[in-house]
Amino acid sequence: MAATVNSSTLLSHPTLNPSTFVNGEASASSFTTTTLFSGGVCAYRTSEASHTASLKRGNVSARLTVPDHIRKPHYIYSTLLPEISSEYQIHNAEGIDNMRAACKLAARVLDYAGTLVRQSVTTNEIDEAVHQMIIEAAAYPSPLGYGQFPKSVCTSVNECMYHGIPDSRKLQDGDIINIDVAVYLNGYHGDTSKTFLCGNVDDATKKLVKVTEECLQLGISVCKDGAPFQNIGDRICELAAKFGYGVDRFVGHGVGTVLHSQPLIFHDCSNKPGTMVEGQTFTLEPILTMGSTEFKTWEDNWTILTADGSPSAQFEHTILITSTGAEILTQS
């Protein structure tokens, strides 16, 4: 679940001025600041020309229900987007055990979701399967009801950078899809995502996906107690630049008893102040693009697309800072 930087201001879910829409879309310059989340409308490719056609929305089905006995996060009782918490997520031994459990479930659900990626499957079918698996584990799907987000998982196809709402459109041969899973278990959130290949993906796009995953691992490799946060973006940018990829401005975040908190984790080169602390949990979730990092959004105020229609890829882990490095809590 990602955020972006607009000048000195941090944002993720954009609020748009209706006067800035052109043909139902808005440019990056039309964004104003609110808070953080991942959601939106699922997208699909409309022609056989790889990564050149615009994405179109499908039909979004009704919100799924969660049994009464399952513990739910506080934000589902409000229609407002929660503010990013200023409280860093630093845990004692019990909290770490709870984080491990939530993240282990999220990783297991994500792996299962990946097995469903194939031609003619709809992202709505993936959502339904993810939802069922999460509630059967007595957990709550964290995206559902966050600022009125209507689904239990985020699915972002091809040039959809993030915030994809599962819908009725079928995956096509050659698509890539990021599936972003977050679960709320025993009062703690676990958050993770991967980009999966659907069928015969072209070599250039497969390379983008591979390097994006390598960027995530490289960013994690510099994390440990006392390490500067800016090291993460420096290492990711260095690798991405070797292949000519853009690093998007959206950021990772603290995660624990709240879904989104400080610190915000910059994946591009920045002078982000501060250092990591043992016992702290946060996400790294770089988004790389084959073309421009400029973005646009649909009227739903969730779906974020590359402005030039080029493909993007993303990978995400929740990590725990230790004295000697980082434990990847969402490693499957």
Side-chain angles (χ1 to χ4, degrees):
M1 299 181 181
T4 187
V5 177
N6 183 6
S7 300
S8 61
T9 307
L10 302 171
L11 62 114
S12 171
H13 180 279
T15 298
L16 298 170
N17 180 343
S19 66
T20 63
F21 283 102
V22 177
N23 296 324
E25 295 179 339
S27 67
S29 63
S30 62
F31 283 75
T32 59
T33 301
T34 68
T35 52
L36 178 71
F37 182 53
S38 162
V41 175
C42 180
Y44 76 106
R45 200 171 66 236
T46 58
S47 86
E48 293 301 311
S50 182
H51 315 304
T52 58
S54 298
L55 300 177
K56 302 295 182 182
R57 287 169 289 201
N59 297 319
V60 178
S61 60
R63 174 174 167 169
L64 299 173
T65 60
V66 177
D68 291 340
H69 71 273
I70 290 178
R71 183 174 177 178
K72 300 170 179 65
H74 67 89
Y75 52 74
I76 72 165
Y77 303 106
S78 172
T79 60
L80 302 177
L81 281 165
E83 296 292 331
I84 299 171
S85 173
S86 61
E87 181 181 357
Y88 283 46
Q89 302 297 294
I90 301 173
H91 309 279
N92 58 21
E94 181 182 1
I96 290 172
D97 286 343
N98 286 328
M99 282 297 297
R100 286 179 175 139
C103 289
K104 182 178 180 180
L105 175 60
R108 192 163 70 247
V109 172
L110 180 60
D111 284 346
Y112 172 63
T115 68
L116 305 176
V117 173
R118 56 185 178 273
Q119 190 173 356
S120 297
V121 170
T122 68
T123 50
N124 190 63
E125 290 171 320
I126 294 173
D127 177 75
E128 290 175 349
V130 164
H131 180 90
Q132 188 63 32
M133 185 174 181
I134 292 172
I135 64 173
E136 285 179 356
Y140 185 90
S142 301
L144 187 64
Y146 190 103
Q148 302 187 75
F149 188 73
K151 291 293 181 177
S152 298
V153 68
C154 297
T155 52
S156 301
V157 179
N158 296 336
E159 63 262 44
C160 185
M161 300 166 83
Y162 71 106
H163 288 186
I165 295 177
D167 67 12
S168 63
R169 296 301 177 180
K170 296 178 180 179
L171 292 175
Q172 300 178 24
D173 185 50
D175 283 344
I176 59 173
I177 175 174
N178 178 267
I179 302 177
D180 190 336
V181 171
V183 305
Y184 184 64
L185 179 66
N186 298 324
Y188 290 78
H189 296 273
D191 191 4
T192 185
S193 85
K194 294 180 182 178
T195 298
F196 297 94
L197 310 180
C198 181
N200 300 301
V201 176
D202 64 79
D203 289 342
T205 304
K206 285 194 287 188
K207 184 67 172 179
L208 171 69
V209 172
K210 181 177 183 292
V211 173
T212 304
E213 186 170 19
E214 291 172 352
C215 281
L216 172 62
Q217 296 298 334
L218 190 60
I220 293 172
S221 72
V222 299
C223 294
K224 65 178 181 179
D225 182 44
F229 285 113
Q230 72 177 61
N231 288 357
I232 296 171
D234 289 346
R235 295 302 297 275
I236 289 173
C237 282
E238 181 181 3
L239 180 58
K242 289 181 180 179
F243 297 91
Y245 298 140
V247 180
D248 198 84
R249 292 162 286 178
F250 302 103
V251 303
H253 53 87
V255 63
T257 57
V258 297
L259 183 55
H260 297 122
S261 80
Q262 295 287 349
L264 299 184
I265 306 301
F266 292 78
H267 307 108
D268 57 353
C269 298
S270 71
N271 294 318
K272 166 71 175 176
T275 57
M276 305 169 204
V277 177
E278 184 175 1
Q280 182 178 46
T281 52
F282 54 82
T283 70
L284 281 73
E285 44 189 301
I287 300 174
L288 268 59
T289 62
M290 196 175 291
S292 172
T293 58
E294 293 301 307
F295 58 89
K296 60 185 178 182
T297 190
W298 287 341
E299 294 117 320
D300 57 69
N301 282 358
W302 289 104
T303 310
I304 305 296
L305 311 171
T306 57
D308 61 3
S310 62
S312 69
Q314 182 183 29
F315 285 82
E316 175 185 13
H317 275 309
T318 297
I319 67 169
L320 167 70
I321 298 302
T322 71
S323 60
T324 58
E327 177 182 344
I328 304 175
L329 299 179
T330 46
Q331 186 74 59
S332 58

